[in-house]
Amino acid sequence: KQEVTQIPAALSVPEGENLVLNCSFTDSAIYNLQWFRQDPGKGLTSLLLIQSSQREQTSGRLNASLDKSSGRSTLYIAASQPGDSATYLCAPSNFGNEKLTFGTGTRLTIIP
Amino acid sequence: NAGVTQTPKFRVLKTGQSMTLLCAQDMNHEYMYWYRQDPGMGLRLIHYSVGEGTTAKGEVPDGYNVSRLKKQNFLLGLESAAPSQTSVYFCASSYLIGYTFGSGTRLTVV
């Protein structure tokens, strides 16, 4: 059974800093891995998807890396802004049915 | 706009009542899913479907039933609601290129 751990559970940083969010998973036989953002009381917004054959994916100030063999992914946020404050969730998916397994997320607060 | 639409957005039920949550997607995705999200528990998979006419159990299926009669729709039913089913329910769809989530249904069972 896939288990996903996200550390830290919460993080507060001053505006402008670069930061890294960590995700680890126990079953490396994944199809892909997605990072999502969730604002309070809202749904999930997909940020980045990394296929199992890829090492990293970039979108604007966001960069996600994947090390499938070690069961780890990181989300790098450059030049953080108050609008980045949200909960960030990582979720690897299984082959065959693409079921996602979620961690409990990292709640990020950017201090102006 | 293309995406996943959930109805209703909010609902209050009394214990023992039944209801159906509707999920509709217009992206021609094969796979559809129902998750519930509870504080401190993350999102947990209730049921999923890998194609029209198919359904399968997820991590927490007890007390729920689903149907996928049409490719674009995935229905989640509660036959006899219990307070433990108070949660936020999310529907999602996918096929090869990642997930799209609906905006959620906040259900309270009193």
Side-chain angles (χ1 to χ4, degrees), chain A residues 31 34 38 49 96-98 100, chain B residues 33 35 37 94 96 98-99:
Chain A
Y31 180 66
Q34 276 188 274
Q38 187 175 30
L49 178 143
N97 54 33
E98 297 184 23
L100 289 179
Chain B
Y33 315 83
Y35 287 86
Q37 186 176 37
S94 76
L96 301 181
Y99 270 51

Side-chain angles (χ1 to χ4, degrees), chain B:
Chain B
N1 289 338
V4 176
T5 303
Q6 290 182 235
T7 53
K9 296 191 183 308
F10 302 93
R11 186 73 185 268
V12 178
L13 283 180
K14 293 183 179 178
T15 297
Q17 287 185 320
S18 63
M19 78 164 294
T20 300
L21 281 67
L22 173 63
C23 177
Q25 55 99 0
D26 58 6
M27 297 169 287
N28 203 35
H29 284 173
E30 289 293 334
Y31 303 153
M32 296 187 73
Y33 315 83
W34 277 104
Y35 287 86
R36 62 177 287 173
Q37 186 176 37
D38 302 291
M41 305 279 300
L43 281 92
R44 293 180 292 169
L45 182 64
I46 305 171
H47 286 282
Y48 65 100
S49 168
V50 298
E52 180 179 315
T54 75
T55 63
K57 294 180 180 179
E59 183 183 354
V60 289
D62 293 342
Y64 305 95
N65 57 76
V66 288
S67 65
R68 183 105 180 263
L69 299 180
K70 293 183 178 181
K71 186 176 184 178
Q72 63 267 33
N73 295 336
F74 196 30
L75 278 63
L76 178 70
L78 287 72
E79 290 186 347
S80 180
S84 61
Q85 293 177 305
T86 293
S87 188
V88 181
Y89 292 85
F90 288 101
C91 175
S93 69
S94 76
Y95 193 59
L96 301 181
I97 57 170
Y99 270 51
T100 300
F101 276 82
S103 57
T105 295
R106 187 173 296 274
L107 175 66
T108 302
V109 183
V110 297

